[in-house]
Structure formats: C-alpha cells, structure tokens
Amino acid sequence: MNPAPSSITDWNAETLSRRIHARDVSCREVMQAYLARIHRVNPTYNAIVSLQPDDLLLRQADARDAQLARGESMGWMHGMPQAVKDLAHVAGLPTTLGSPLMRHFIAKEDGLMVARMKAAGCLVIGKTNTPEFGLGSHTFNEVFGVTRNAWDPTRSAGGSSGGAAVALAQRLLPVADGSDFMGSLRNPAGWNHVFGLRPSQGRVPMAPAQDLWLSQLGTEGPMGRTVQDVARLLGIQAGWSPDSPLSIANYDLSTGSIGQFDLKNLRIGWLGDLGGHLPMEDGILPLCRSALDRLTRDGAVVDEVAPGFDPVKVWDAWRVWRRVLVASRIAPFLLNPKNRAQIKPEALWEYDQAQGLPATEFLAASTQRSVFYQQMCAQLARYDVLALPVAQVWPFDASLRWPQQIGTQPMDTYHRWMEVVIYATFAGLPCISVPAGFGPEGNAKGLPMGVQLIGQPQGERALLDIAAAYEQRAQELLQSSPSQQAR
C-alpha cells in the first residue's frame, strides 16, 4: 500500500531518504505530496517563493526514479525536494535577495553549497523567502511580502532564514538550508520549533563571495526537524574548498552514534541575560533555563555563570564589524544614486554608518574581537557548552518592521533586540538552536522559543551529540506541530 501524502510530508528527512532508497515510495510520489501541501499551505505562510512548475519538477523526480531503477543513487538527498534560501544562487532561478533591484536577476551558476546539495541528489523546487539583503530578523520584503510564523500567521517568522524555518515547521520541505550572520539560522528556528545550526567559522564555505578574506561573520548552514537531519545536511554542506581560502577541512559528521553523550560529565554554563545586560520579555528566561533541566535529570550540571567579557565593548566592536561588512554588500547597488530610493532604510543606515570609518577603528574592533574570543575560550575550558535564549522577544506582530523596545527599554538600533545572538558569531563558534517550549500566558501563549547552545571551537560533532541527547529527552515537547497545520 502506498503511503498517504500527509504521512510522506510528516517523515523526517532521514526516514524519507531511507524510504526512497528502499523503493517504498517513489521520488514522483514524494514530489507530488510536497507540491500538494505547498499549494494548500504556502499561500497562508509565504515561506516558499519562485516555485517552479509542477510538470518540470515531476519530470525531474521521474529522472531520479529512473536512476534508482538502474541501481544508481546520488546520495542522501536523492529525490528530496529542496528550496534554497533566496540569498544563494541556483542556476536558472531568480536570486532576488528580497530586493526590488534584483527582482529579475537569474543566476547563471550554482553557489557552492547548492552544488553540493545537488550532487547529493536534491531537486531544487524554488527558493525560501528572506528579508531584503538578509538584514533584520523579520522576513519581509518588497518583492514577495511577509513570511508568517508557522504557529501563528499574525506573528513574525524571524529571519533571515524565516522562509526556511516556516517551510520546515509546516512540512513544506523535509530539510532546509539557511545562513546566519546575526542569528539568522537560530532565531527563526527558535520561533518555529525546529533546529538550526550555525557552523563554526569556515566549516561551510560560501562561494562565490564578494570578499574572501574579511567577510567571515556570515555562514551558510543546515536546519531540520531533527538533530540527525541537521547533522546529515551539514555533512553535505561542509568541507574545504579552494574557492574559499579560509574554509576548514571536514571531519566525521556521520550520525552513527549521534546522541551517545555521557551526560554525567556534561557541564553547561548558563549565561542567561548576561547578568541583566540583555533586556528580555517576560517568560523567556525561565522557559529556556528550565529546558536545560531535561539534561540535568541524567547527571548534567548547569551553573549560572557571569559572562567573562564586557558586553558593552563586545557590542561596540560588533557594530563596527557589522557596518563594514554590510556596507560592502550594499555599496555596489549605490553606484547608481537612483537606486537609493529602492533600498530599505535599515540597509542604508548600515551603509551610511560605515562611510568615513577609519582603518584604525576597524583594527581596534578586531583587537577587541580577539580578546573576546579568548574570553569565550576560557569559559569553554570549564564548560562543554554555554547556553542562553535564542531571542530576547517572543514572535512579534508581523505588521511591524522591528521591535522598538523591550519592556520599558527602547532599542537604539534596528537590530539591538537581537543582541543575544552575536556571541557565537563574533567568536566564530558553532551554535545550535533547540526548541525550548512555548509561551504559557499573555501575548506569548502558544508561541515557540528556543535556547541556543554554543560549542567548543570547531566542535560541531560534540555539539550535535549534546543537542541529540537533549532531543531524546524532549520528545513530548517535540511531538507538537503547528496548530493551524493544514491537512
């Protein structure tokens, strides 16, 4: 008996891959099931954009079936539908960056991550929505509109990998790719009740890239509904490339024993709100802290720890780095002054802030970043992971551009409310967002939140093991799916 389309889209990616390779389900049936669900559900949530024609995708699925009939498999993603974040190039598809200036740009070649996923057998069905130029953790733009939270379509999906996270949560994709500069793989994962991993700096090389030497705060990476799916996709995306000179060599990211971590030896440093430095909406801190108790029941130790660094100095250095790197991405569009009217004000603010910035200020910020890295390493010499919430606010009204204040504290920049996610990025450390639970009352009732675990330098494997151990002990929580999920 052939499986029902709804059961196909409910399978995690590991199960889907296994069932495809066992010929329990055809690639055509998988594509049909996902397309049917996308056509029903996506109009409400607007997660997937630039969707390709059904008949084209079904022919591609038939070709994958023919390969299996000949005993040929391209890899773990053979026949899987995949939509790529609309910041990455897919040959023949639009790369809009969410910008009206790029509305009609068609990529001529695949980016490196996309090429690796295609080589593993995926079928690219379209793109996932992102904010303009990937800026701001709220996915809306003038090209495709707003992507809405999988659990409440009146709320923000987060960003900039908001489309990817919602597509996962609403079963429009089996696994998803995203990218992360300022929490873009972690914040939307937390707000949509899925897993999102920001790899170590250089683990997943990004090519083509405008700059190969300084632009190392942003990275591509995996998202999934299970830690195993995240690990498998990371294994495909990762690995050194001559096109990315600061990339790092891969190591064993296989999933044979994932989650087999001795919790009796696990030490977690709970950073919380950095001793009151980070404003937080009510309910976030106790939810995220209590989520870690799932690990302490089997012997893990959670200590409340002081940051070990000066958050004000880190934020000031971060702002220098960010405005330099973001401005370099916006600058080519402003070679034509008329384009300024078509660029979001937050992007223009980043660009304008960088004008006239002396090299000495940037080098001073780099020195402060180096000090901060050593301070984080000192913490990680005592703890296996450092933990703190993945967001400072609950998913907010989707009609807003960004939160103007947290409680009574006004936000002095468009991204200050996301300060909690900069620490893994600035130190180049791997970090995974795991579902922590749901808001119990008030405006946050029923809305998801995540907790982020920051791992050792280049320590993805151990971090994935710890996240999988958490996942095993949070099955009741993880069985929850969006209440408005269409069938």
Side-chain angles (χ1 to χ4, degrees):
M1 179 181 295
N2 292 335
S6 61
S7 68
I8 292 174
T9 56
D10 278 339
W11 294 338
N12 60 45
E14 179 70 13
T15 298
L16 178 63
S17 178
R18 187 171 61 251
R19 298 291 292 270
I20 287 173
H21 283 91
R23 309 295 297 279
D24 293 335
V25 63
S26 70
C27 298
R28 169 175 271 267
E29 288 171 326
V30 170
M31 185 64 73
Q32 286 174 324
Y34 272 97
L35 289 174
R37 182 156 181 81
I38 289 168
H39 292 318
R40 287 198 310 273
V41 175
N42 196 57
T44 298
Y45 297 94
N46 193 34
I48 294 179
V49 298
S50 300
L51 182 66
Q52 298 301 286
D54 287 18
D55 58 348
L56 172 64
L57 296 174
L58 290 170
R59 288 198 299 272
Q60 293 176 358
D62 289 340
R64 289 287 187 271
D65 282 326
Q67 288 177 297
L68 289 178
R70 297 192 297 268
E72 302 169 3
S73 169
M74 297 181 69
W76 183 71
M77 301 187 79
H78 190 99
M80 282 191 196
Q82 180 77 346
V84 174
K85 185 175 178 180
D86 199 19
L87 299 182
H89 291 323
V90 178
L93 268 64
T95 304
T96 75
L97 312 179
S99 167
L101 299 172
M102 295 286 286
R103 185 189 300 268
H104 303 297
F105 176 81
I106 304 297
K108 295 182 180 179
E109 61 181 5
D110 294 326
L112 178 59
M113 177 191 67
V114 173
R116 288 175 170 178
M117 293 191 299
K118 282 186 174 181
C122 81
L123 296 172
V124 178
I125 64 173
K127 307 298 279 290
T128 53
N129 204 21
T130 184
E132 185 177 334
F133 300 117
L135 300 179
S137 193
H138 178 26
T139 300
F140 71 95
N141 59 61
E142 299 298 323
V143 181
F144 298 114
V146 180
T147 295
R148 299 179 179 277
N149 190 284
W151 294 78
D152 182 347
T154 71
R155 300 300 182 106
S156 170
S160 60
S161 305
V166 174
L168 270 176
Q170 280 290 347
R171 279 56 175 170
L172 311 182
L173 293 174
V175 73
D177 64 83
S179 57
D180 187 304
F181 191 125
M182 195 171 178
S184 294
L185 277 158
R186 293 166 281 154
N187 171 268
W191 278 6
N192 290 280
H193 200 58
V194 296
F195 296 91
L197 174 71
R198 177 191 167 87
S200 300
Q201 180 175 309
R203 175 68 65 199
V204 177
M206 191 179 296
Q210 184 178 337
D211 167 65
L212 299 176
W213 301 104
L214 289 178
S215 296
Q216 288 288 314
L217 295 187
T219 179
E220 293 169 319
M223 305 178 81
R225 293 195 294 270
T226 71
V227 176
Q228 186 177 47
D229 288 351
V230 169
R232 292 300 296 264
L233 184 55
L234 177 63
I236 290 167
Q237 296 172 336
W240 180 83
S241 168
D243 295 324
S244 184
L246 298 184
S247 59
I248 55 180
N250 204 359
Y251 63 96
D252 182 19
L253 293 170
S254 66
T255 59
S257 60
I258 197 165
Q260 302 304 310
F261 196 96
D262 184 2
L263 294 182
K264 293 180 181 179
N265 295 320
L266 178 64
R267 296 187 62 85
I268 301 170
W270 169 245
L271 294 175
D273 61 359
L274 304 186
H277 171 76
L278 297 171
M280 295 270 177
E281 287 191 340
D282 291 345
I284 292 176
L285 281 173
L287 176 71
C288 291
R289 173 57 187 85
S290 64
L292 300 177
D293 288 339
R294 295 183 173 91
L295 297 172
T296 62
R297 293 167 195 151
D298 288 308
V301 174
V302 179
D303 292 334
E304 294 190 15
V305 297
F309 55 85
D310 185 335
V312 175
K313 290 182 179 179
V314 173
W315 175 253
D316 289 344
W318 165 266
R319 280 192 58 189
V320 172
W321 268 84
R322 180 175 170 90
R323 66 182 185 241
V324 167
L325 297 184
V326 172
S328 68
R329 289 158 47 190
I330 306 302
F333 296 96
L334 290 172
L335 293 175
N336 181 351
K338 294 181 179 179
N339 287 343
R340 192 175 178 94
Q342 298 189 68
I343 296 176
K344 68 189 289 185
E346 294 84 357
L348 294 174
W349 177 83
E350 296 273 19
Y351 175 82
D352 293 341
Q353 287 278 310
Q355 302 312 298
L357 180 76
T360 52
E361 185 174 349
F362 182 74
L363 287 173
S366 186
T367 298
Q368 177 58 48
R369 183 186 178 197
S370 301
V371 170
F372 168 65
Y373 171 76
Q374 296 297 337
Q375 292 168 332
M376 289 290 280
C377 286
Q379 291 278 36
L380 289 166
R382 297 187 294 139
Y383 295 101
D384 297 285
V385 292
L386 302 173
L388 67 172
V390 79
Q392 294 167 242
V393 299
W394 298 96
F396 53 84
D397 190 320
S399 66
L400 300 177
R401 294 186 72 86
W402 47 276
Q404 300 290 319
Q405 62 184 43
I406 299 178
T408 60
Q409 184 166 328
M411 298 292 99
D412 56 359
T413 72
Y414 81 99
H415 49 30
R416 190 63 184 260
W417 61 278
M418 306 179 333
E419 188 174 357
V420 71
V421 296
I422 72 172
Y423 308 109
T425 298
F426 214 33
L429 298 170
C431 184
I432 190 167
S433 173
V434 302
F438 300 90
E441 57 188 22
N443 292 333
K445 185 175 182 180
L447 295 176
M449 181 54 63
V451 60
Q452 54 181 327
L453 305 176
I454 302 175
Q456 304 283 333
Q458 298 189 22
E460 280 88 346
R461 181 55 202 255
L463 183 61
L464 288 164
D465 281 335
I466 294 167
Y470 174 88
E471 178 186 30
Q472 292 165 8
R473 291 156 179 81
Q475 282 302 301
E476 183 176 354
L477 170 67
L478 296 172
Q479 294 306 311
S480 300
S481 58
S483 60
Q484 298 191 19
Q485 182 174 327
R487 291 289 183 187

